[in-house]
Amino acid sequence: MRKSSVILTALCVSVFVVGTSEYLVAGLLPQVAGDLGVSVGAAGQTVTAYGLGVVVGGPVVTLLTARTPRKGLALSLMLLFAVGSAVSAFAGSYEVLLIGRVLSPFSHAAFFALALVVAGKVVPEEKAGRAIAAVVSGLTVATLLGVPLGALLGERTDWRTPFVVLTVLTLLGTALLAAVLPRQAAESAGARAEIRVMAQRPVLLAIATTAVGFAGVATVFTYIAPLLTEVTGFAAFVVSVLLPAYGAGSFLGDLIAGRLTDRAPAATLRGVFAALALLLACTPFAVTWKPTAVLAVLLLGLLATATIAPSRA
C-alpha cells in the first residue's frame, strides 16, 4: 500500500471517531434526559453545545496554533478530544456533560480542517478532491454506522458506555496518527496572516454560507428521532433503521461530490447548497407522510456532506 493511502486511511479513521461524537447523543436523548433529570429538549441542547464549541473553538484554536507543526497539532487535538469524551462519559450532572460536550468540539473543527489540508497535499493536485472525499468518508461512515451502533449500545447498556468506547477509540486513533503522519512544519505566517485571510470577503461569504447550511442540517438531524416517531408515526425500531439510511445517503453524496469537485468545484458547491435549501424548506411537509419522510431522510444525508469536498477544494 502506498504511503499516501496509509495516511489517508489513518485520517479517515480519526475523522470517523470525531464524527461519531458529534451526533451520538442525538440517538440517546431519552436515556440522557432520564438519567440526569432534564427534559428531552434540554438534553438536545448538548448537541447545540457541541455545535457552538465547533463554531467558537475552531477559529480560536486555528489562530492560536497557526505556527504549530502539523503532526504535533493533530496529536494534541485528538488528545483534547479524548479528554472531552471522557468528561462526557463520567459526567455526574447535566452541567458537567455540557462541559464535556464543549471541550471535544474545540478540537473538532481544527482537526477536521487539518485532516482535509493534509489529505489534499499527500496526493497529486488533480486527485485532491477525491482524497478529501476519502477522508470525509470517515464522517459519513460515522453517520452510517458509528451513531446508530453507539445509540444501540447505549440502549442495551447505558448512555455513558458509548462515550467510554469513543474515548478508547480516540486514543487508538492518536497512536495510529503518531505512527504514520509525516512531520510537517506549519505553513502559516502567524495569527495576523490568518486573520487577514479570514477577513477577506470571499472567505467570510464561504464561512457564512457553510454555517447557515450546516445549522439547518444539524437542527433537523438533532431531533430526527422524535420528529419521525411523533410527527410521521414511525415506531422507534423503524427510526433506528432510517438512521443508517441517512448515513448511506451521506456516503453516496460524499463520493459523488468528490468526483464532481475535481471537474467543477464552484458549480458543484452552488448546486449542492441550492438543493439543500430546497430540501430543508420541503422537510416539514415531507415528514407528514411516511414514504416522503423516508425520501427526505435519504436526501438529507445525500446533501449534508456533499458540501464539504467542494468547499475545501
Side-chain angles (χ1 to χ4, degrees):
M1 184 181 292
R2 291 182 301 177
K3 186 176 181 180
S4 61
S5 298
V6 175
I7 294 173
L8 291 177
T9 300
L11 291 172
C12 180
V13 170
S14 300
V15 167
F16 166 79
V17 175
V18 173
T20 299
S21 176
E22 183 173 8
Y23 290 117
L24 176 61
V25 75
L28 301 169
L29 293 185
Q31 296 93 318
V32 173
D35 184 39
L36 298 182
V38 297
S39 67
V40 172
Q45 293 305 308
T46 59
V47 180
T48 304
Y50 194 101
L52 289 175
V54 171
V55 171
V56 176
V60 171
V61 172
T62 299
L63 292 175
L64 293 178
T65 60
R67 294 185 177 180
T68 305
R70 304 295 89 180
K71 181 173 182 177
L73 176 59
L75 299 181
S76 299
L77 291 173
M78 286 294 284
L79 289 176
L80 176 60
F81 186 84
V83 171
S85 296
V87 171
S88 297
F90 298 102
S93 67
Y94 177 69
E95 292 73 19
V96 175
L97 176 60
L98 284 177
I99 292 174
R101 294 292 292 173
V102 170
L103 277 177
S104 291
F106 260 68
S107 64
H108 180 126
F111 177 80
F112 192 61
L114 178 61
L116 298 185
V117 169
V118 173
K121 291 185 177 298
V122 298
V123 297
E125 185 176 353
E126 65 272 13
K127 295 183 178 180
R130 274 169 282 184
I132 291 173
V135 173
V136 175
S137 69
L139 183 61
T140 60
V141 174
T143 309
L144 177 62
L145 294 177
V147 173
L149 289 178
L152 181 61
L153 178 62
E155 290 175 2
R156 295 295 178 88
T157 57
D158 182 85
W159 69 265
R160 301 173 188 275
T161 305
F163 284 100
V164 174
V165 174
L166 201 62
T167 303
V168 174
L169 290 177
T170 303
L171 295 176
L172 292 176
T174 304
L176 180 61
L177 290 175
V180 304
L181 277 186
R183 293 185 180 276
Q184 293 181 345
E187 298 180 2
S188 172
R192 290 184 179 179
E194 293 283 351
I195 293 174
R196 284 196 296 270
V197 172
M198 292 176 64
Q200 295 177 7
R201 185 176 177 180
V203 176
L204 291 175
L205 180 61
I207 293 173
T209 303
T210 303
V212 171
F214 277 99
V217 173
T219 300
V220 174
F221 189 75
T222 299
Y223 297 100
I224 194 70
L227 185 67
L228 292 175
T229 54
E230 297 177 16
V231 177
T232 312
F234 281 120
F237 80 92
V238 177
V239 175
S240 66
V241 174
L242 287 178
L243 288 179
Y246 175 95
S250 297
F251 185 77
L252 290 174
D254 175 44
L255 294 179
I256 295 170
R259 293 189 174 276
L260 291 177
T261 297
D262 287 334
R263 299 179 181 180
T268 301
L269 186 61
R270 287 194 296 267
V272 170
F273 269 112
L276 184 58
L278 179 61
L279 174 64
L280 291 175
C282 294
T283 296
F285 307 99
V287 296
T288 59
W289 190 41
K290 291 183 179 180
T292 52
V294 173
L295 180 61
V297 170
L298 182 62
L299 290 177
L300 186 64
L302 187 72
L303 296 170
T305 55
T307 59
I308 299 175
S311 65
R312 297 298 305 180

